């Protein structure tokens, strides 16, 4: 199963692009699931070290639902709007709260495949830096990071929304980067399955 995580508190550009990515993967025969932070209560990590001692997070909130989905996932797509040149606070909270999973099982994420999507209101608004933050999370946790490769999707899929849903739908270059990234993501998953 491929899990798409939308890190936007709004139902607009980022969520739209992520659902399009999941449709592309479904067309390639993959089962997908969608999770959004929108309307969810996900507190930031308090770095209290409870998870190191008790092998679970002491905060009981909507991360519990996501923890279960992450366990089932073979592939993970994190999509974030760009806030102040980086990831949203919501997707950062998701990443930080995953510390509890690794505290319980150091190899929890090892061998899963990950890709990233960043949607900015400006063409050059911090999309690549936001993607680097997500890829760093993947690398630190043993997730195999996949980009779209050179010539248009160097680190992953980047979009210019012009701060509107209509704007992101018109971003042909963004969708080219998404198609390239999804293609390589699907190829890596199939390679690891031995298909």
């Amino acid at each position: 199963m491929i899990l798409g995580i939308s890190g936007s508190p709004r139902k607009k550009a980022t969520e739209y692009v992520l659902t399009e990515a999941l449709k592309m993967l479904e067309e390639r025969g993959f089962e997908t699931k969608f999770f959004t932070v929108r309307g969810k209560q996900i507190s930031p990590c308090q770095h209290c070290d409870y998870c190191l001692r008790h092998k679970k997070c002491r905060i009981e909130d909507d991360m519990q639902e996501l923890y279960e989905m992450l366990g089932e996932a073979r592939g993970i797509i994190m999509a974030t709007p760009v806030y102040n040149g980086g990831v949203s606070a919501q997707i950062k909270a998701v990443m930080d709260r995953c510390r509890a999973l690794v505290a319980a099982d150091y190899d929890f994420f090892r061998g899963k495949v990950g890709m990233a999507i960043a949607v900015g209101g400006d063409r050059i608004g911090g999309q690549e830096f936001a993607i680097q933050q997500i890829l760093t999370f993947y690398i630190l946790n043993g997730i195999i990071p996949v980009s779209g490769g050179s010539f248009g999707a160097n680190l992953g899929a980047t979009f210019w929304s012009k701060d509107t849903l209509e704007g992101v739908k018109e971003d042909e270059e963004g969708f080219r980067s998404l198609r390239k990234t999804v293609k390589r993501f699907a190829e890596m998953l199939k390679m690891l399955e031995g298909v």
Side-chain angles (χ1 to χ4, degrees):
M1 180 269 287
I2 311 304
L3 175 60
I5 304 170
S6 173
S8 177
R10 303 190 303 171
K11 187 178 182 178
K12 295 211 176 198
T14 302
E15 191 167 309
Y16 174 79
V17 169
L18 177 57
T19 57
E20 290 299 303
L22 295 175
K23 285 179 195 173
M24 291 176 193
L25 288 160
E26 288 166 5
E27 289 167 5
R28 293 171 182 267
F30 292 95
E31 175 194 352
T32 68
K33 285 190 179 178
F34 173 82
F35 180 88
T36 178
V37 300
R38 179 175 43 82
K40 302 284 195 321
Q41 177 61 46
I42 298 176
S43 298
C45 177
Q46 297 173 352
H47 207 293
C48 62
D49 292 340
Y50 182 92
C51 62
L52 298 179
R53 295 186 302 276
H54 300 280
K55 308 305 179 195
K56 66 177 189 172
C57 184
R58 73 172 191 80
I59 303 170
E60 296 285 335
D61 60 12
D62 292 319
M63 271 302 288
Q64 306 308 317
E65 176 188 351
L66 185 54
Y67 286 152
E68 187 175 326
M69 295 170 83
L70 285 164
E72 298 170 14
R74 294 175 16 236
I76 300 167
I77 304 173
M78 285 192 179
T80 184
V82 177
Y83 289 172
N84 290 300
V87 297
S88 70
Q90 291 84 355
I91 202 75
K92 184 67 167 71
V94 165
M95 291 189 286
D96 292 346
R97 291 283 302 284
C98 285
R99 182 174 193 249
L101 295 172
V102 179
D105 175 4
Y106 187 76
D107 294 322
F108 182 89
F109 288 110
R110 195 158 312 280
K112 295 180 190 288
V113 180
M115 67 169 266
I117 299 168
V119 180
D122 295 316
R123 169 54 74 197
I124 303 169
Q127 287 90 327
E128 286 200 335
F129 182 65
I131 287 176
Q132 283 179 324
Q133 290 178 282
I134 294 169
L135 297 183
T136 298
F137 167 79
Y138 291 160
I139 292 165
L140 289 172
N141 289 288
I143 299 168
I144 301 164
V146 174
S147 76
S150 55
F151 306 109
N154 294 338
L155 299 178
T158 59
F159 282 84
W160 177 24
S161 70
K162 302 177 187 174
D163 282 330
T164 65
L165 178 58
E166 295 74 27
V168 88
K169 288 179 179 180
E170 295 168 1
D171 184 11
E172 292 178 21
E173 188 62 28
F175 278 100
R176 188 172 80 84
S177 75
L178 182 65
R179 286 189 296 274
K180 287 185 71 174
T181 307
V182 165
K183 179 178 184 287
R184 291 184 77 193
F185 180 70
E187 288 171 352
M188 177 61 78
L189 286 160
K190 287 182 178 175
M191 184 178 77
L192 291 173
E193 286 179 351
V195 175

